[in-house]
Amino acid sequence: MTTHAANPAPSSSPPATSTTDSVAELRDLKKTYYKPDGSIMVEALRGINLTIKRGEYIAIMGASGSGKSTLMNILGCLDRPTEGVYMLAGRDVVGMDDEELSLFRGRTIGFIFQAFNLIPQLTVEANVEVPLFYQGIKPSERAKASEYALGLVGLSDRLGHRPRELSGGQQQRVAIARALVTRPSILMADEPTGNLDSKTGQAILGTFEDLHRQGMTIIMVTHDDNIAKRCRRVVRLADGLVCEDRLVENPAVV
Ligand SMILES: Nc1ncnc2c1ncn2[C@@H]1O[C@H](COP(=O)(O)OP(=O)(O)OP(=O)(O)O)[C@@H](O)[C@H]1O
Ligand SMILES: [Mg+2]
């Protein structure tokens, strides 16, 4: 069989398909939680369609129980959908086995949890090194990358502290550094400012905006309209479906 080379496109032309600059594609994605007896407990996501492009800064909103965390956990490859398509960075995530998925997740995604999830016994620097440890990176490189990531969030003077010796906002910044240390293509955060006072929350958002300006793709769950106003796109869920998907005209950048 003869193979035909594609016509070379002029270098100035836009990509042939929108998928080249899409980081994540969800098609009719569903997540159902079942009871131990196999009967349906909750249909948490009932058919989500979403395309996320490189460099977007997205707020995921919706009432309590609408499916935000369920969606975020699937986007972040911490959980799998029951049905549907999820392509992340051009790869079919649904078809990967657990080991493949966890390696891919480690390379592609930085995930920030609402509750920080730092390891209390480890220093700030060691906490940030954890994802690199799991990737088998050697200690000297881990230390360098960790110091760099902590510099990005303004914590270069706290490397040897334990998490309990830091304020809530500083702990969250350590969690952000840990999410950034692998140089992920996407940063995902579930209510990253939910446990912080509003001033500290604003500072964290400032960090996100800096990262967004540098081209990072950011997806964040929030309940707060004032936070969503500072993003570039708002996706609202209701009862497991996308009920609103709009661009923010004039983001309220600080
Ligand atoms: N592990 C689970 N087993 C069974 N049902 C679950 C599980 N996790 C979530 N659910 C249900 O799925 C639905 C969506 O939950 P989810 O945590 O995604 O909501 P949410 O939008 O993040 O809410 P919140 O704003 O309160 O955090 C809810 O009805 C919830 O009870
Ligand atoms: Mg939630």
Side-chain angles (χ1 to χ4, degrees):
M1 199 179 110
T2 325
T3 47
H4 298 276
N7 289 332
S11 58
S12 60
S13 68
T17 62
S18 64
T19 45
T20 36
D21 65 345
S22 81
V23 194
E25 294 251 5
L26 279 62
R27 291 288 157 251
D28 212 16
L29 189 114
K30 296 179 184 167
K31 176 72 181 183
T32 307
Y33 293 108
Y34 293 93
K35 292 184 190 162
D37 68 4
S39 62
I40 290 178
M41 181 154 62
V42 180
E43 292 180 299
L45 300 176
R46 299 189 298 132
I48 301 282
N49 291 293
L50 204 59
T51 301
I52 296 168
K53 292 196 177 143
R54 203 165 295 286
E56 281 200 299
Y57 183 14
I58 301 179
I60 298 189
M61 302 196 74
S64 180
S66 57
K68 303 181 297 296
S69 292
T70 303
L71 175 62
M72 206 61 178
N73 290 340
I74 291 174
L75 282 172
C77 302
L78 299 166
D79 199 1
R80 291 170 181 275
T82 315
E83 255 182 72
V85 175
Y86 179 23
M87 302 288 291
L88 177 63
R91 301 274 311 273
D92 171 14
V93 169
V94 181
M96 290 184 192
D97 65 31
D98 286 351
E99 198 181 337
E100 214 181 342
L101 184 63
S102 95
L103 265 173
F104 180 65
R105 177 179 62 216
R107 283 201 308 266
T108 314
I109 296 166
F111 205 97
I112 301 164
F113 299 89
Q114 179 172 357
F116 316 150
N117 289 5
L118 300 176
I119 302 171
Q121 296 84 356
L122 296 184
T123 63
V124 161
E125 187 176 15
N127 263 285
V128 174
E129 281 184 30
V130 166
L132 299 176
F133 175 82
Y134 285 113
Q135 287 185 10
I137 309 287
K138 63 177 186 190
S140 60
E141 282 179 33
R142 292 202 307 254
K144 228 162 82 184
S146 169
E147 282 171 33
Y148 178 75
L150 283 161
L152 288 179
V153 298
L155 284 177
S156 295
D157 56 347
R158 292 290 189 277
L159 303 186
H161 284 57
R162 312 279 157 180
R164 66 169 181 280
E165 295 159 353
L166 301 179
S167 71
Q170 288 170 333
Q171 289 182 46
Q172 188 60 306
R173 281 191 276 151
V174 176
I176 294 173
R178 182 183 53 188
L180 293 174
V181 77
T182 53
R183 299 176 180 268
S185 348
I186 314 183
L187 191 62
M188 298 187 185
D190 193 348
E191 293 271 1
T193 60
N195 277 333
L196 305 174
D197 65 76
S198 75
K199 188 162 163 257
T200 315
Q202 297 292 320
I204 297 295
L205 289 176
T207 307
F208 280 15
E209 278 156 21
D210 286 345
L211 291 166
H212 168 64
R213 278 191 285 272
Q214 291 160 32
M216 175 78 76
T217 310
I218 304 175
I219 311 170
M220 171 173 62
V221 169
T222 181
H223 274 108
D224 188 335
D225 280 318
N226 290 320
I227 293 178
K229 268 188 213 151
R230 293 171 58 165
C231 297
R232 302 297 176 278
R233 178 178 168 195
V234 174
V235 173
R236 192 179 298 274
L237 300 186
D239 205 12
L241 292 170
V242 174
C243 67
E244 183 187 4
D245 186 351
R246 65 178 168 86
L247 297 177
V248 179
E249 294 285 333
N250 295 303
V253 181
V254 283

